[in-house]
Amino acid sequence: MMKTLTSLLAATALTAASVVPALADGHAQKWDMPMAYSATNFHSENGVKFADCVRTATEGGIDITVHPSGSLFKGADIKRAIQTGQVPIGERLLSGHQNENAIFGFDSVPFLATSFEASGQLFDATKPTLERILEDQNLKLIYSVPWPPQGLYFKKEVNSVADMEGIKFRSYNNATARLAELTGMLPVTIEAAEISQAFATGVAESMISSGATGYDRKVWESLTHFYEVDAWLPYNHVMVNLDTWNGLDDASKSALMSCGETAAADGLEASIAYTNFTLDGLREGGMTVQKAGDTLVADLQKVGETMTAEWLEAAGDDGAAIVDAFKGN
Ligand code: PCA
């Protein structure tokens, strides 16, 4: 009771002290922020912390409410919702939109960047180009956070690509669907929020993802094996509608950007920490978690070469410049 009263008083004091209008028109704004992954996932928890940071930094001028688990918009619809102003802000895995621009798939080229460090360098090399493409689509990039390295989930032992023939494979972006095709599997696109059910009903029986997503969705209830492949580390990006952004005063813009900087750093740290924590969680759930065997790795590397060539072809001069800048590191 005492604690509630104290925080109530503190909250009132904070509101009363808010004399600086956070926005050009002087009105506080309530922003809904759709996110696609479960509330307990580190991206979602980080999004809530980001919202708190922005609320404090704008003295309540921008009040963001996070909607996790695809509850407001499904992952696939979030980018369009922000672009068209249905929501002012949201988080999306941009590699799901590679058909709009190959650059969006910079983070899903197999074996190009396979560690947190390398993927950070690849992101830095891509960021200016990415920001330009997003601005052309009426989007302002606020912060980006990588998922842990991607590995393969199955419900049987798999030692080679030949063992993958005919398996129903859950995909989450263009690269994962292409990987399925090139390995003789059958791709089916399923949102992370829906995978527990997809595996339970047999709609899918395999996927490539992080230990984090398998852990979040308790996939040990249906699957048995996780092979560490470290194929790539895809990014989630928090973006604001550019018209909304342009209507903000400078103080609000810098509050969003500095909270974004904090969120990028905190999110990266959480992703790193979540990697082993969730692999242990899969083991505790009863799954066999191990590095992919030599034959499987060699087979996947061949698939990776094909996909890298395809991506470079699609991404043209921008893609080549990004890879050169990244490799120059
Ligand atoms: N989890 C997300 C994207 C990458 C990841 O690790 C998913 O499986 O949908």
Side-chain angles (χ1 to χ4, degrees), residues 23 28-35 44 46-68 72 87-91 142-143 238-240 244-245 248 252 255-257 259-260 263:
L23 299 147
Q29 290 195 18
K30 288 205 174 296
W31 285 9
D32 288 314
M33 176 164 164
M35 300 182 85
S44 310
N46 196 39
V48 171
K49 271 169 62 184
F50 166 76
D52 290 343
C53 176
V54 171
R55 194 176 304 111
T56 305
T58 60
E59 299 179 347
I62 301 178
D63 184 6
I64 300 174
T65 304
V66 167
H67 300 268
L72 193 59
V87 287
I89 190 167
E91 180 193 63
I142 305 294
Y143 72 86
V238 169
M239 298 164 283
V240 165
T244 305
W245 172 263
L248 297 173
S252 302
L256 283 160
M257 291 321 281
C259 290

Side-chain angles (χ1 to χ4, degrees), residues 37 93 147-148 150 170 172 191-192 195 207-210 213 234:
Y37 306 94
L93 178 106
W147 286 92
Q150 305 290 289
R170 174 262 169 171
Y172 65 76
E191 295 271 345
I195 60 181
M207 67 172 174
I208 188 164
S209 191
S210 56
T213 290

